[in-house]
Amino acid sequence: QVQVVESGGGLVQAGESLRLSCTASGLTFVDYTMGWFRQAPGKEREVVSCISRRSATKYYADAVKGRFTISRDNAKNTLTLQMNSLELEDTAIYYCAAHRGKYDERWCRAANPTSGDYWGQGTQVTVSS
């Protein structure tokens, strides 16, 4: 059974940092493009960042470029999102997702589950002033 579990969310003040982790089990992690997505109250889900199977390609949404860093450890089946200089607008539920196959920016930017994807339940990030 495949499980994708996010952790590391919490309440921080603007300007602070937070590190999200995602652990996937029950699948061959290196076979999957991974992504972080978020959904704020009243807004549509949007992509935050994606990473190819062996980390050669990384995508960042304009809103987080220069502040967030995505990484993965295929030996540990773990995906990480380091979030620095957090802003009020970063408040959202953050989701980790696994997409089987080579990197596809269309999947990343679409921010919608497709057949065969695995998504976590999400972790809340709240940034206060």
Side-chain angles (χ1 to χ4, degrees):
Q1 181 180 0
V2 175
Q3 285 192 315
V4 176
V5 180
E6 304 95 339
S7 62
L11 172 63
V12 296
Q13 290 191 323
E16 294 184 340
S17 299
L18 208 56
R19 187 178 182 91
L20 303 184
S21 294
C22 169
T23 299
S25 59
L27 52 72
T28 304
F29 190 70
V30 72
D31 288 347
Y32 287 77
T33 294
M34 300 297 296
W36 285 102
F37 303 86
R38 69 186 182 186
Q39 187 164 19
K43 295 187 177 181
E44 292 187 354
R45 183 170 45 232
E46 62 180 5
V47 61
V48 176
S49 182
C50 297
I51 188 168
S52 60
R53 292 174 294 182
R54 297 192 183 275
S55 305
T57 302
K58 300 177 182 180
Y59 172 88
Y60 294 97
D62 288 343
V64 307
K65 277 181 184 176
R67 300 188 297 122
F68 291 10
T69 302
I70 192 171
S71 61
R72 64 189 293 165
D73 185 336
N74 289 339
K76 297 181 178 179
N77 284 22
T78 299
L79 176 73
T80 300
L81 185 69
Q82 177 67 40
M83 305 186 294
N84 297 330
S85 302
L86 282 161
E87 303 172 353
L88 298 180
E89 294 74 21
D90 295 318
T91 294
I93 299 174
Y94 284 70
Y95 299 91
C96 169
H99 178 72
R100 187 178 178 91
K102 64 181 181 180
Y103 179 78
D104 182 349
E105 189 165 303
R106 292 171 299 177
W107 171 79
C108 182
R109 293 165 65 92
N112 279 320
T114 59
S115 178
D117 290 352
Y118 296 100
W119 285 67
Q121 293 299 306
T123 185
Q124 177 71 48
V125 172
T126 303
V127 183
S128 66
S129 59

